[in-house]
Amino acid sequence: MSVPLLEQLIEAFRILPGVGQKTAQRMAYHVLERERAGGQRLARTLAEAIEKIGHCRACRDFSETEICGICASSGRDRQLLCVVETPADRWVIESATGYRGLYFILQGRLSPLDGIGPRELGLDLLASRLQEGEVTELIVATNSTVEGEATAHYLAQLARRHRIKPSRLAQGLPLGGELEYVDRGTLSHAFGMRSEMPD
Amino acid sequence: MSVPLLEQLIEAFRILPGVGQKTAQRMAYHVLERERAGGQRLARTLAEAIEKIGHCRACRDFSETEICGICASSGRDRQLLCVVETPADRWVIESATGYRGLYFILQGRLSPLDGIGPRELGLDLLASRLQEGEVTELIVATNSTVEGEATAHYLAQLARRHRIKPSRLAQGLPLGGELEYVDRGTLSHAFGMRSEMPD
């Protein structure tokens, strides 16, 4: 006997991040009980998105077009290039800061043990971009993790080889953070990097 | 300009239970980055399930066929009928107990304020089932909530009108539970319902 469709559906939901057997079952029941129209829309949109969304040729972000909206925009400062690990990072910088330069999305971080090297992150594309000479500052916005820092170090060297100034986001206490609850590493770093207060 | 497909996809994911903006975004990125094949399978299975899965005519459970596998089985005890609120409840009883009778799924609970009355729960169907005379015990397995208890009360009256014995799952301390951590209502009930220990 073939596997019942309901079980196939529960299994299919499990590809989603953080979704185990129990949650997948709840999702399947929920859609069938109460959200059939929404479920149809999800199925249609998902299939269409997978078919049509590729990567921008310039920045490697997700894009329906060959060049994404930000890269194609005439209103951005083309001298600034901000390198991030994922499209989600690009999204959060775009929505939280007033940054008006361009981006480059690695779609990952250097991780030799997982077989992710410079080629997988499109660093040859980044190098030829830096070679063109338009970029004057490479803003390295990889995560503050071990792998993120290693990637940042590699990117800084790459930038210097092209005589471009690399910069890194400031590290320290989060705004509104209380000393008591900040981790020791961050506190120690912030203490060491203290700066004089203006009058 | 039309809404970008990526934003449509994020919005579409939000119909799933417990999925807000942030989780929906993570799901969309995850599928596009790492699970395109799984995503296509999800889209296909979801569309097919919504199209083909309806309700069993006998027990109202989800079913691809007019009569579901359990109701059609010749190996079940047709004198026992267990009434549950949802397909998930049916599933957990089926997998945790050795019950070999049949089920009836309300797909909800009595809730007059939400416009859910006997008709919405298919109680006319249940009544004609009891009328047939095959069932001798109606096992009422609705939840132990206020609405579940009200529904149980209603079902017990319905059973008695057809001269059928209604029964209810035992209530008391959970197996392995510690008195200190059990809620007061359960403890008080368990205390009052104490039974003599066998020799």
Side-chain angles (χ1 to χ4, degrees):
Chain A
M1 203 182 114
S2 67
V3 180
L5 205 45
L6 185 59
E7 278 174 40
Q8 288 180 39
L9 180 60
I10 292 170
E11 193 55 39
F13 270 122
R14 294 191 57 181
I15 62 146
L16 298 176
V19 174
Q21 170 69 22
K22 196 100 185 178
T23 310
Q25 192 184 337
R26 202 155 56 92
M27 286 175 167
Y29 285 144
H30 178 84
V31 169
L32 290 172
E33 271 169 42
R34 272 184 282 268
E35 276 287 2
R36 290 196 174 225
Q40 277 166 338
R41 192 171 58 245
L42 172 58
R44 212 167 44 231
T45 314
L46 185 56
E48 194 186 345
I50 290 172
E51 188 198 325
K52 294 193 184 160
I53 296 181
H55 294 284
C56 168
R57 269 210 320 182
C59 74
R60 294 171 38 102
D61 196 1
F62 293 128
S63 174
E64 291 171 63
T65 48
E66 210 172 327
I67 300 290
C68 75
I70 290 181
C71 287
S73 163
S74 60
R76 316 280 308 201
D77 182 347
R78 297 182 168 269
Q79 300 194 313
L80 301 177
L81 188 62
C82 176
V83 185
V84 294
E85 294 185 15
T86 66
D89 296 337
R90 202 272 302 152
W91 189 86
V92 77
I93 290 179
E94 190 69 8
S95 57
T97 73
Y99 180 64
R100 295 299 295 163
L102 297 177
Y103 295 92
F104 187 87
I105 288 94
L106 299 173
Q107 301 278 5
R109 60 211 68 79
L110 285 179
S111 178
L113 290 178
D114 300 321
I116 301 176
R119 184 198 301 265
E120 283 70 27
L121 302 182
L123 294 193
D124 44 347
L125 183 64
L126 179 61
S128 64
R129 179 86 166 268
L130 298 181
Q131 185 68 49
E132 288 168 14
E134 202 172 27
V135 177
T136 56
E137 181 182 348
L138 190 75
I139 303 170
V140 180
T142 54
N143 286 329
S144 204
T145 58
V146 174
E147 288 173 344
E149 291 295 346
T151 310
H153 185 71
Y154 190 99
L155 290 169
Q157 288 184 318
L158 181 69
R160 286 197 196 93
R161 270 208 300 281
H162 291 88
R163 305 228 172 80
I164 290 168
K165 188 179 68 171
S167 62
R168 187 98 176 94
L169 303 198
Q171 294 184 311
L173 304 178
L175 268 64
E178 295 182 52
L179 288 195
E180 191 179 346
Y181 300 111
V182 168
D183 70 284
R184 294 158 56 97
T186 301
L187 184 55
S188 166
H189 176 88
F191 201 85
M193 298 295 286
R194 66 191 176 279
S195 59
E196 200 182 320
M197 294 171 71
D199 286 333
Chain B
M1 204 181 115
S2 66
V3 180
L5 206 43
L6 184 60
E7 279 174 38
Q8 287 180 40
L9 180 59
I10 292 170
E11 192 56 38
F13 270 122
R14 294 191 58 181
I15 62 147
L16 298 176
V19 174
Q21 170 69 21
K22 195 101 185 177
T23 309
Q25 193 184 335
R26 203 155 57 91
M27 287 175 167
Y29 285 144
H30 179 85
V31 169
L32 291 171
E33 271 170 42
R34 272 185 282 268
E35 277 287 3
R36 291 195 173 225
Q40 276 166 337
R41 192 170 60 244
L42 173 58
R44 212 167 44 230
T45 314
L46 185 57
E48 195 186 343
I50 291 172
E51 188 197 325
K52 293 193 185 162
I53 295 181
H55 294 285
C56 168
R57 268 210 322 183
C59 74
R60 294 174 36 105
D61 196 1
F62 292 129
S63 176
E64 291 170 63
T65 48
E66 211 170 327
I67 301 291
C68 75
I70 290 180
C71 287
S73 163
S74 61
R76 314 282 307 201
D77 182 347
R78 295 182 171 270
Q79 299 193 314
L80 301 178
L81 188 62
C82 177
V83 185
V84 295
E85 294 185 14
T86 66
D89 296 338
R90 203 272 302 152
W91 189 86
V92 78
I93 290 178
E94 190 69 9
S95 58
T97 74
Y99 180 64
R100 295 299 296 162
L102 297 178
Y103 295 92
F104 187 86
I105 287 93
L106 299 173
Q107 301 279 6
R109 60 211 67 78
L110 286 178
S111 180
L113 290 178
D114 300 320
I116 301 175
R119 184 198 301 263
E120 283 70 28
L121 302 182
L123 295 193
D124 43 346
L125 183 64
L126 178 63
S128 62
R129 179 85 166 269
L130 298 181
Q131 185 68 49
E132 289 167 13
E134 203 172 27
V135 176
T136 57
E137 181 182 349
L138 189 76
I139 303 170
V140 180
T142 53
N143 286 328
S144 204
T145 57
V146 174
E147 288 173 344
E149 291 296 346
T151 309
H153 186 70
Y154 190 98
L155 290 168
Q157 288 184 317
L158 181 68
R160 287 197 195 94
R161 270 208 300 281
H162 291 88
R163 305 230 172 78
I164 289 168
K165 189 179 67 170
S167 62
R168 187 99 176 93
L169 304 196
Q171 293 184 311
L173 304 178
L175 269 65
E178 295 181 51
L179 289 196
E180 191 179 346
Y181 300 112
V182 169
D183 69 284
R184 293 159 57 95
T186 301
L187 184 56
S188 165
H189 175 89
F191 201 86
M193 298 296 285
R194 65 191 177 280
S195 59
E196 201 181 320
M197 294 171 71
D199 288 332

